[in-house]
Amino acid sequence: MENIVKPSAHQVLEVIQETASEVTIRVASDITPKHGQFLQLSMPKIGECPISVSAFGEGWLEFTIRAIGRVTDKLFALKPGDTLFLRGAYGNGWPMEQLLGQHLVVIAGGTGVAPVRSLLQQAAQEPHLFPSVHFIAGFRNSENVLFKQELETWRKPFNAFYTLDNEETTGFAKGFVTQHLDKIPLAQLEDNYQVLIVGPSAMMHFTSLGCLELGIPQEKMWLSFERKMSCAVGKCGHCRVDEVYVCLDGPVFSYAAARHMID
């Protein structure tokens, strides 16, 4: 029987400096995750942490990491040729069976762009999957913008709108994503759409409320709680909310199911 909590060694292929505090690490792997799933990344004698897959392809995975603690600081310092240990993929990702054929609305904040990046890449490469894609991304400032080249590329196939919390610069408006929800052409989408929301807790909370005010039904809104992940197999209890184990039942939930969960 396969040991689901045993990590395996993988070689770091490339390290891409996204910002001063964030990198994207490409790792050699035959693991094939679903959009929105996460893996446990670990280093011996240091620890492990759950990280969403930000992209994947034949023979490789990418993880976008912010240096915010003991484990992520060590991950941040990895170089091509180093060894990283992985286990997974875990969790229920974005509900593709309900998204395909629908207009797709994606609202992401900061590193929350990472859990939707692989889905957006597929949507750009296979435009027949969704009638249209509407993408709103917000970042703290111009120094914290992730995936800059892809953001520009996505302006063509998507109705893309980018904003910065406290400044305005070329290609970016000013304000929180909640101030720009009116950029979603809901009247044109009729009832044939789904909304994905991911980012910091406060951003997801107020974005969800803003979407409700626009008349978006709860069952059409999907949120990722990957920030609550811990052991990934429902044993440690750190992700438990009442009777829900986020690592087993999520990290993606409909707003109707997640509205009472405390993040």
Side-chain angles (χ1 to χ4, degrees):
M1 179 180 294
E2 181 183 1
N3 185 345
I4 62 171
V5 295
K6 182 180 179 180
S8 57
H10 298 261
Q11 184 181 35
V12 175
L13 299 176
E14 185 179 2
V15 178
I16 303 165
Q17 190 79 40
E18 300 283 357
T19 71
S21 57
E22 287 138 337
V23 296
T24 294
I25 299 175
R26 177 173 287 201
V27 179
S29 176
D30 291 326
I31 297 171
T32 304
K34 298 177 181 177
H35 300 304
Q37 284 191 306
F38 66 98
L39 276 79
Q40 288 283 358
L41 280 57
S42 62
M43 300 182 69
K45 300 183 180 180
I46 303 297
E48 68 175 7
C49 61
I51 304 289
S52 291
V53 178
S54 63
F56 58 90
E58 186 174 349
W60 59 270
L61 301 171
E62 285 188 354
F63 304 93
T64 301
I65 298 164
R66 173 180 289 174
I68 57 172
R70 182 167 178 258
V71 179
T72 52
D73 286 350
K74 293 295 184 180
L75 295 175
F76 195 83
L78 288 171
K79 299 290 187 289
D82 288 345
T83 298
L84 179 61
F85 287 81
L86 306 177
R87 61 179 176 92
Y90 296 111
N92 295 308
W94 303 111
M96 294 300 293
E97 67 283 353
Q98 293 177 252
L99 303 183
L100 293 176
Q102 300 269 301
H103 295 281
L104 186 63
V105 178
V106 179
I107 308 167
T111 53
V113 177
V116 293
R117 181 181 173 221
S118 64
L119 175 56
L120 291 171
Q121 288 176 337
Q122 184 179 11
Q125 294 165 3
E126 304 178 56
H128 64 278
L129 295 177
F130 309 100
S132 66
V133 177
H134 307 269
F135 178 42
I136 299 177
F139 301 92
R140 185 178 304 168
N141 53 50
S142 56
E143 299 299 317
N144 292 101
V145 176
L146 297 171
F147 316 124
K148 293 179 181 178
Q149 184 174 347
E150 281 180 300
L151 292 182
E152 285 303 312
T153 301
W154 289 338
R155 290 183 188 274
K156 185 175 181 179
F158 305 156
N159 173 28
F161 183 87
Y162 307 136
T163 184
L164 304 173
D165 291 353
N166 300 308
E167 63 179 276
E168 186 173 358
T169 188
T170 303
F172 291 82
K174 181 179 180 181
F176 300 118
V177 293
T178 49
Q179 297 172 257
H180 298 286
L181 296 179
D182 59 352
K183 304 300 187 297
I184 305 169
L186 286 177
Q188 300 175 25
L189 308 185
E190 298 180 337
D191 195 42
N192 185 36
Y193 65 90
Q194 299 287 332
V195 180
L196 312 186
I197 302 170
V198 59
S201 301
M203 172 266 174
M204 292 201 298
H205 173 73
F206 289 107
T207 299
S208 298
L209 294 180
C211 287
L212 291 174
E213 290 179 1
L214 291 175
I216 297 174
Q218 296 181 14
E219 61 273 13
K220 288 185 174 292
M221 295 160 51
W222 303 89
L223 294 82
S224 175
F225 285 77
E226 60 109 5
R227 291 171 181 266
K228 291 190 69 67
M229 299 299 95
S230 189
C231 75
V233 291
K235 300 301 181 183
C236 74
H238 285 91
C239 74
R240 182 177 175 181
V241 180
D242 296 325
E243 299 304 315
V244 175
Y245 284 85
V246 177
C247 66
L248 299 179
D249 302 313
V252 173
F253 297 89
S254 71
Y255 182 84
R259 59 191 175 129
H260 298 302
M261 294 171 59
I262 299 173
D263 185 15

